[in-house]
Amino acid sequence: MRAKYTALMTEDLEIIAKERERIELDIAALQDQLRLLDRDQAWLTSVQERLPPSPVAEGGTGDVAAPAGPVQHSGPQGNVGEQPPEDQALSGAQPAGPAAKEPTLRDLVVGELRRHGEPRSSNDVAAVLHRAHPKRRIKEPAMRRALEALVKQGRVQRAKRGSRVFYFVTDAAAQGKPGR
């Protein structure tokens, strides 16, 4: 009887070992696919960012659509309409107004979070934006400040997992409604 159970256990252990090996190979293949998808997404995002904006569908005026509509930023002293100096320097954008050509760092961050659709760390967002906008100098501290400012504005929410902080756009924030 003991020999029978020993044989069954040995057989079960071999089955488990083979299944584990198969799953590990599947995981490695999926990780390779994920790396390729990340690379392709970054490339497509950078190409998309270089395309000219599409015309406005509503109104038929032929004007060019703004990325996310008018956005007010609070400046370092809390003045509405002013863009913080780190956003101006990093985004290369001119002060808000009709002559502004480049989107602000905050708009780029919200756009990237919307495109990705899942919570992302400030490092992840900074890396994608750096690849998509190589001429802009996007540094991690400024990225974190921009993300925290977006949280205060209700455009982005944060979630903490362990010691890491992840940011995401909720449905309410994506529609321009405050998330509070």
Side-chain angles (χ1 to χ4, degrees):
M1 189 69 141
R2 185 176 186 160
K4 182 180 176 182
Y5 282 115
T6 302
L8 285 173
M9 283 192 255
T10 303
E11 186 179 315
D12 286 346
L13 286 171
E14 288 175 359
I15 291 171
I16 290 171
K18 286 178 184 177
E19 184 68 10
R20 182 180 180 91
E21 183 179 333
R22 185 190 65 79
I23 291 173
E24 287 173 347
L25 289 173
D26 288 348
I27 289 172
L30 289 171
Q31 285 175 333
D32 288 341
Q33 288 178 352
L34 184 60
R35 278 192 284 277
L36 290 173
L37 287 173
D38 285 343
R39 186 194 70 199
D40 291 348
Q41 181 183 16
W43 180 80
L44 287 171
T45 300
S46 70
V47 169
Q48 184 181 30
E49 300 268 339
R50 291 186 209 135
L51 292 175
S54 61
V56 175
E58 297 178 23
T61 62
D63 293 338
V64 176
V71 177
Q72 292 186 345
H73 301 280
S74 38
Q77 288 79 26
N79 298 331
V80 174
E82 291 182 11
Q83 185 179 18
E86 70 269 6
D87 280 0
Q88 289 176 2
L90 293 174
S91 68
Q94 298 169 358
K101 296 179 183 176
E102 295 284 325
T104 64
L105 177 60
R106 292 178 186 179
D107 290 335
L108 290 173
V109 168
V110 170
E112 173 55 30
L113 290 172
R114 254 191 214 123
R115 266 191 296 282
H116 190 68
E118 293 180 0
R120 312 237 12 223
S121 70
S122 59
N123 285 335
D124 295 339
V125 175
V128 170
L129 291 180
H130 179 70
R131 285 191 302 267
H133 303 279
K135 292 182 181 179
R136 288 186 167 179
R137 293 184 303 160
I138 300 173
K139 296 191 178 181
E140 180 63 24
M143 178 62 62
R144 277 195 299 270
R145 285 191 298 272
L147 283 162
E148 288 302 317
L150 288 166
V151 168
K152 287 180 184 175
Q153 292 176 348
R155 294 175 67 190
V156 171
Q157 290 189 358
R158 88 170 79 81
K160 195 166 184 180
R161 293 182 190 157
S163 63
R164 297 192 67 193
V165 178
F166 293 88
Y167 299 88
F168 58 96
V169 176
T170 62
D171 291 335
Q175 296 171 3
K177 300 174 187 171
R180 297 177 197 185

